[in-house]
Amino acid sequence: MKLRNKLTSQLGGISVAVIIMSFGSPAIAVDDGARTYWKQRDGTDVVSFQYLNLNMQATDSQQFDPAQFIYPNSDAEANIMLASWAHHMTLFNRASLFAVNVGGGSVGVDANIPLEFLPPGASPTFSQSASGYTDPSVQLDINLFGTSSLKSTVDLLNYEPTWTIDAAVMLALPVGEYDGDKLVNMGLNRWWGRLALPIKYHFGVFAPGYMSSFELTPSVWIFAENDDFLGQSLENDPLLQLEAHLTQDFTRTFFGSLDLLYRGGFQSEINGVEVGEELDIGDLGFTLNFQASDNLYLRTTYSSNVFGDDKLNSSLIRLQLVYGWHRLTENSRKLTTGHH
């Protein structure tokens, strides 16, 4: 039964696991997502389109993070559209993937900013909005342990992961929409990136309808200097992030996940002087993923902060569509269904 389930999955379509891309979003409060780092056959391509609605109420908080639309004494709402392309491949005889991410949207902020965050003469009370493209990004992920190359159907049939460890590097390009005279922007006007160590433990039968996993991704975000922040210089300490998911197949075409995301650090300095408080945000949420066909996946996610700074309230809603394919797999399905 196990072999037949796996054979049908691999020859009939990409239904064991399709990477769900969320890398490099403009609001880095957004997590990578459950089962993001599951590997597929060498040559598999995946495209993802997602809508994100992010609400931040920091009316009593002194945390300050323009990258996540967090401003002291503020109320912010962002609506973002993201598109991603990922390609599964083999590097150094290890299963790997390369991803490109672009996005755009709008954000609106109502705030009463403390004067320490503003240049002389600026009004602390304002309503600002921004729209346009976000900073695009690229990411490379390479498995270090637990997943060797997956170049053939035989490799996939023999693939029985338990512990897996990856290394991931992401870099964002500072070309998003930015106005140095505004506090609220879509781009960051600086280079930024992330180093991550995705860790997974697979348990249960590794076949559609039976799969379970625990996933843990510690990472650090690093930001260069923004030398045009209201005519001043903005610098930040690294942002430390911990993401976790507990996933479970409910049926062959439906899985769910309990999600956790914690962010800390990221102390801000304006002209070399510390302002605001370090980030201290912990989110809990859930993900539901439905496989509509061999290639098409639909996903929804909801999360909200429930620990950390109790003066900050945030919520995230994600709606996502994912399509994946492999040329040889598509040809195999045509043959098994009698199409030439």
Side-chain angles (χ1 to χ4, degrees):
M1 174 64 72
K2 178 178 174 182
L3 179 61
R4 185 167 64 251
N5 283 342
K6 294 181 72 174
L7 182 60
T8 301
S9 171
Q10 299 301 342
L11 295 182
I14 306 171
S15 56
V16 169
V18 167
I19 185 171
I20 310 295
M21 298 302 303
S22 302
F23 301 131
S25 101
I28 55 179
V30 178
D31 58 8
D32 286 336
R35 299 191 177 182
T36 292
Y37 294 99
W38 287 33
K39 298 298 186 292
Q40 262 297 327
R41 183 175 180 175
D42 186 316
T44 297
D45 289 284
V46 181
V47 293
S48 165
F49 302 94
Q50 58 181 305
Y51 163 75
L52 303 169
N53 175 262
L54 177 68
N55 277 277
M56 291 279 188
Q57 290 82 42
T59 52
D60 295 319
S61 175
Q62 293 300 302
Q63 297 190 35
F64 177 63
D65 178 6
Q68 300 182 76
F69 309 124
I70 300 175
Y71 307 87
N73 302 332
S74 69
D75 187 349
E77 180 177 5
N79 292 283
I80 308 295
M81 296 294 294
L82 294 175
S84 304
W85 166 77
H87 180 71
H88 289 254
M89 57 188 177
T90 300
L91 287 178
F92 310 110
N93 204 36
R94 311 300 300 181
S96 307
L97 65 92
F98 175 76
V100 178
N101 314 277
V102 296
S106 63
V107 60
V109 178
D110 297 316
N112 186 5
I113 302 290
L115 291 176
E116 64 187 46
F117 294 86
L118 302 172
S123 174
T125 302
F126 68 90
S127 293
Q128 279 189 12
S129 62
S131 61
Y133 293 106
T134 60
D135 294 335
S137 66
V138 295
Q139 175 152 315
L140 177 65
D141 173 83
I142 301 176
N143 178 260
L144 302 178
F145 173 82
T147 306
S148 57
S149 62
L150 298 173
K151 294 185 177 181
S152 67
T153 300
V154 173
D155 292 335
L156 288 169
L157 294 175
N158 291 331
Y159 183 43
E160 290 285 352
T162 52
W163 287 100
T164 70
I165 302 175
D166 291 7
V169 179
M170 188 274 284
L171 178 65
L173 286 66
V175 297
E177 195 72 26
Y178 187 82
D179 183 344
D181 295 326
K182 296 174 60 177
L183 268 173
V184 181
N185 285 285
M186 301 303 296
L188 301 189
N189 191 44
R190 56 181 174 178
W191 294 90
W192 52 284
R194 183 181 72 155
L195 304 174
L197 195 70
I199 302 168
K200 307 190 303 298
Y201 178 71
H202 299 264
F203 49 93
V205 178
F206 196 71
Y210 303 94
M211 295 183 293
S212 306
S213 70
F214 174 69
E215 305 167 9
L216 187 69
T217 305
S219 60
V220 57
W221 298 81
I222 301 173
F223 299 81
E225 176 186 352
N226 179 356
D227 60 2
D228 188 22
F229 182 75
L230 298 176
Q232 303 177 84
S233 171
L234 172 66
E235 297 180 88
N236 290 97
D237 291 342
L239 170 64
L240 305 178
Q241 178 173 303
L242 183 66
E243 176 181 347
H245 304 279
L246 181 63
T247 81
Q248 174 65 55
D249 281 3
F250 300 122
T251 69
R252 190 179 184 279
T253 59
F254 180 61
F255 80 79
S257 170
L258 295 177
D259 309 319
L260 176 146
L261 179 67
Y262 175 75
R263 288 147 288 152
F266 201 71
Q267 177 67 55
S268 297
E269 294 183 4
I270 296 179
N271 290 339
V273 179
E274 290 188 356
V275 296
E277 299 176 349
E278 292 186 352
L279 294 188
D280 181 26
I281 307 173
D283 296 346
L284 289 177
F286 65 88
T287 295
L288 300 175
N289 189 91
F290 174 68
Q291 179 184 336
S293 70
D294 286 335
N295 303 85
L296 181 64
Y297 292 72
L298 306 175
R299 162 174 290 203
T300 183
T301 298
Y302 175 81
S303 65
S304 179
N305 69 303
V306 296
F307 61 97
D309 187 350
D310 58 7
K311 297 179 182 179
L312 176 69
N313 295 309
S314 69
S315 65
L316 169 72
I317 297 173
R318 173 193 287 134
L319 303 175
Q320 190 171 12
L321 181 151
V322 182
Y323 187 86
W325 73 96
H326 188 289
R327 180 178 57 84
L328 295 180
T329 306
E330 296 300 309
N331 291 340
S332 297
R333 184 168 64 246
K334 291 179 180 178
L335 291 174
T336 58
T337 55
H339 296 288
H340 301 283

